[in-house]
Amino acid sequence: MALYLIGDLQGCNEPLQRLLRKIDFSPSRDTLYLLGDLVNRGPDSLAVLRSLSGLGDAAQCLLGNHDLNLLGIRHGLRKPHRGDTVQQVLDAPDCDSLLDWLRHRQMAIHAHGWLMVHAGVLPQWSTSQTMALAAEVEHALRGPDLAGFLAGMYGNTPLQWRDSLSGAERLRVIVNALTRMRFCTADGFMEFASTGGTQTALPGYLPWFEVPGRKTAGTPVAFGHWSTLGSDTAAAGGGLLANTLPLDTGCVWGGCLTAAQLGRSAGDHTLITVTCAAAQVPG
């Protein structure tokens, strides 16, 4: 049995299938952990959803910001961005069943000694609290008022977590941290304008994984969302960065698609990559 963590697909099905062949993946034997942003920007989100949903429990998938955006578009709460490439999914005869499968994916996973999220974890959250808060969002996604949850999900505020938060504000902070965050302050104030590498942090802000005293520092954390970090990590041979492993290696932008095969000890892994042709021009 082999265990693999895979970074952002963003609708790039052909590289996914090449990667699965390269690792000799067998759904009866192996397990994939997909770190979110399964869809959008790439050419074949429909095939990605059909492929992953067909693997059953062999594909454990997180939700990323692009996946939530697709649900928002389907429910009429968002208009497609000019760079979105999800219309094929929306027009498919099996759209509703695929999006029902999507809404039942997880916001965080803690398995085999790893904490897995799409984007980041606020420094004030422990591993157990992260999983409990992720479960609150999962409950809302799977509940009878999905449209109501999605309507309250958008926005940048509140920028800081407080245990006393409730309702839409509480869920919004959880979603923003788990699916959008790159930088925050030592007090956990998030900032969403900076999207480049670590050197683009505004004064007073740090990459979330470099905040001193981060409560998840003792747990290896795998995440996607930040393609410049993932590309650098893959090029450097895949060492852990502050006990975190960034795995978005920019497949949709012409980088590569990366799987980390987990070893026997905590944090131990081996990277396997396939090259990708640029599927989307940034803009």
Side-chain angles (χ1 to χ4, degrees):
M1 179 186 75
L3 305 168
Y4 300 94
L5 315 182
I6 298 179
D8 301 33
L9 298 176
Q10 294 202 235
C12 296
N13 185 62
E14 189 275 335
L16 170 63
Q17 300 308 319
R18 280 194 286 118
L19 181 60
L20 296 184
R21 290 192 295 270
K22 186 172 183 177
I23 64 177
D24 191 27
F25 171 71
S26 170
S28 64
R29 178 192 63 214
D30 307 323
T31 302
L32 307 174
Y33 291 91
L34 287 300
L35 301 182
D37 276 4
L38 310 178
V39 303
N40 206 14
R41 300 296 176 86
D44 210 344
S45 295
L46 179 59
V48 166
L49 292 178
R50 286 174 173 170
S51 176
L52 294 178
S53 63
L55 291 176
D57 290 341
Q60 301 292 318
C61 302
L62 293 176
L63 288 167
N65 51 302
H66 282 284
D67 308 312
L68 294 172
N69 181 61
L70 173 57
L71 293 173
I73 292 172
R74 178 60 172 172
H75 285 267
L77 299 167
R78 299 283 282 181
K79 292 184 178 180
H81 184 272
R82 64 186 178 90
D84 288 346
T85 60
V86 295
Q87 194 60 46
Q88 186 185 36
V89 176
L90 299 171
D91 292 339
D94 53 345
C95 174
D96 287 343
S97 62
L98 290 172
L99 295 194
D100 186 65
W101 173 85
L102 190 66
R103 70 186 283 205
H104 284 81
R105 298 314 93 199
Q106 293 175 259
M107 295 294 296
I109 295 173
H110 186 211
H112 314 293
W114 288 81
L115 177 61
M116 308 170 208
V117 297
H118 175 62
V121 181
L122 282 168
Q124 288 74 28
W125 294 352
S126 65
T127 298
S128 60
Q129 185 177 14
T130 300
M131 292 304 301
L133 295 175
E136 292 184 28
V137 176
E138 292 162 8
H139 179 76
L141 278 164
R142 300 166 188 177
D145 189 21
L146 174 61
F149 162 73
L150 293 171
M153 182 182 67
Y154 295 102
N156 291 342
T157 58
L159 289 171
Q160 184 188 39
W161 171 256
R162 301 189 306 275
D163 288 339
S164 60
L165 286 172
S166 62
E169 287 192 334
R170 181 181 179 90
L171 296 178
R172 190 181 309 125
V173 173
I174 300 169
V175 168
N176 283 343
L178 294 177
T179 70
R180 297 179 60 207
M181 180 176 64
R182 293 181 178 92
F183 298 100
C184 66
T185 67
D187 293 330
F189 279 92
M190 295 179 283
E191 187 272 309
F192 301 110
S194 303
T195 60
T198 56
Q199 72 281 358
T200 66
L202 295 177
Y205 289 85
L206 294 168
W208 64 266
F209 49 83
E210 291 185 356
V211 172
R214 173 171 59 90
K215 288 189 176 181
T216 51
T219 302
V221 182
F223 65 100
H225 187 61
W226 204 340
S227 60
T228 53
L229 295 182
S231 297
D232 291 346
T233 298
L240 289 180
L241 182 66
N243 210 28
T244 66
L245 180 62
L247 282 172
D248 177 5
T249 47
C251 179
V252 75
W253 311 120
C256 58
L257 183 64
T258 300
Q261 182 175 358
L262 300 188
R264 296 193 177 191
S265 59
D268 185 27
H269 66 281
T270 303
L271 297 187
I272 305 103
T273 65
V274 294
T275 58
C276 305
Q280 174 75 45
V281 177

